[in-house]
Amino acid sequence: MVPQPGPSQEEAVTGASQPNPTVARRELAVIFRALRERQKRSLEDLAAHLDVALSQASRLDTGARGFRPDDVRKLASWYRLGDAEETRLLALATESRKRAWWQQVDLPNSYRTLIGMEQAAVAVNEYCSSVVPGLLQTPEYARAATAASVLDIDAEQIDPAVDVRLRRQSVLSRTPPPQLWVVIDEAALARVTGGRDVMRAQLEHLRDAAARRNIVVQVIGFEYGTHPGGESHFILLDMAGDLPDVVYTEGLHGPDDSSAELDIRRYRRIWDLLRSIALNPRESSRRIASYAQRLAS
């Protein structure tokens, strides 16, 4: 299979036009930070103008905290913006304070950020070492993987966690959908999760998904040996417009997200290397099918 190009920036912005408070908050932060830096104002100046603590000003500046409409009015006056631009930014502030579905469930903040930004991403690039990526999991596999992945999770928490994972998959039905490119270690295919029937159905689903126009699946074969991905799990989100790209990571210490330029560059280098050492999409599909056939026999 030849990988197909993902949606253009213009298409991605159109597809992401539904209300998204996470993206609205990040967009406001990008706009106001650019204005602050262009006018050579410091974070201390921002804190003093808004009459907030320096730590709070920093969170506004990075998009970790949302702007109130009153904050927007004060900053529009401070930066001498026109009425039309102020109105547009006030609309963004209103949207940023809404509660999307991923903000109405008990999730780590980094996971909420991932879901919100994922909804508007041009491309989702994911590496998994031992499990099938969440966007391509079947419900039965997701339930087994969730139950096995966290030591201290209560039984009643499994179904809500699985529901969140499956609701994330709706992004693949977006118009237009993002380009999803996943690289998985062969260990994820060999590790029988949920029993033979569940695993076989998952592998068949993965193989079928890889045939879709906007999805590429590559497998790093055991024959390659040790590689830089190791036991890590990360997702690189390519964002449209002026929104900064995001890297989301998971580990025993918990989830984390970053838009820092150094972090993005580091993970992009790793991502490019992992794609280069993995089997091509056609060979990867054959490898997936071989594991499904073993479980069926």
Side-chain angles (χ1 to χ4, degrees), residues 62-111:
T62 60
R65 178 189 178 280
F67 288 87
R68 298 170 302 178
D70 191 48
D71 296 330
V72 172
R73 294 188 186 93
K74 288 181 179 179
L75 292 176
S77 174
W78 201 35
Y79 295 129
R80 299 180 181 179
L81 303 180
D83 291 343
E85 181 66 358
E86 180 178 343
T87 299
R88 184 180 78 87
L89 296 180
L90 281 170
L92 277 176
T94 299
E95 182 173 326
S96 73
R97 299 182 71 78
K98 294 178 180 178
R99 285 172 59 81
W101 69 261
W102 58 88
Q103 295 172 316
Q104 298 176 41
V105 289
D106 184 18
L107 298 171
N109 287 334
S110 289
Y111 194 25

Side-chain angles (χ1 to χ4, degrees), residues 7-86:
S8 66
Q9 276 200 353
E10 183 178 352
E11 289 175 324
V13 171
T14 301
S17 60
Q18 298 301 314
N20 187 324
T22 304
V23 169
R25 188 180 71 236
R26 289 289 179 105
E27 187 175 351
L28 275 173
V30 167
I31 292 169
F32 282 129
R33 184 166 62 250
L35 287 167
R36 180 180 64 76
E37 292 173 348
R38 192 178 307 137
Q39 297 188 17
K40 302 186 184 307
R41 300 177 190 266
S42 67
L43 275 176
E44 288 78 5
D45 294 333
L46 177 64
H49 185 74
L50 294 179
D51 193 24
V52 297
L54 182 60
S55 59
Q56 188 171 331
S58 178
R59 287 171 58 78
L60 287 169
D61 204 56
T62 60
R65 178 189 178 280
F67 288 87
R68 298 170 302 178
D70 191 48
D71 296 330
V72 172
R73 294 188 186 93
K74 288 181 179 179
L75 292 176
S77 174
W78 201 35
Y79 295 129
R80 299 180 181 179
L81 303 180
D83 291 343
E85 181 66 358
E86 180 178 343

Side-chain angles (χ1 to χ4, degrees), residues 179-293:
Q179 171 75 52
L180 174 62
W181 198 311
V182 302
V183 175
I184 58 178
D185 194 282
E186 188 170 344
L189 310 180
R191 197 180 303 279
V192 179
T193 300
R196 294 173 65 89
D197 291 342
V198 168
M199 191 64 196
R200 184 181 74 252
Q202 174 60 74
L203 292 171
E204 291 171 349
H205 176 71
L206 182 63
R207 180 199 59 203
D208 293 343
R212 292 172 60 176
R213 179 179 180 273
N214 64 307
I215 298 177
V216 176
V217 177
Q218 286 185 268
V219 175
I220 300 178
F222 283 144
E223 62 269 26
Y224 186 84
T226 304
H227 56 81
E231 296 299 314
S232 64
H233 176 199
F234 66 86
I235 303 173
L236 270 170
L237 301 179
D238 298 344
M239 305 306 300
D242 294 327
L243 284 172
D245 295 341
V246 179
V247 61
Y248 172 86
T249 58
E250 279 188 356
L252 291 177
H253 64 283
D256 195 14
D257 71 274
S258 175
S259 290
E261 188 175 343
L262 285 176
D263 290 335
I264 298 298
R265 284 208 303 263
R266 175 172 178 264
Y267 276 94
R268 202 167 292 285
R269 284 198 303 271
I270 297 172
W271 171 249
D272 289 341
L273 177 57
L274 294 175
R275 286 193 305 169
S276 71
I277 66 176
L279 300 172
N280 67 42
R282 181 169 296 180
E283 292 170 335
S284 296
S285 183
R286 291 172 181 160
R287 188 68 57 95
I288 294 167
S290 71
Y291 275 92
Q293 289 165 3

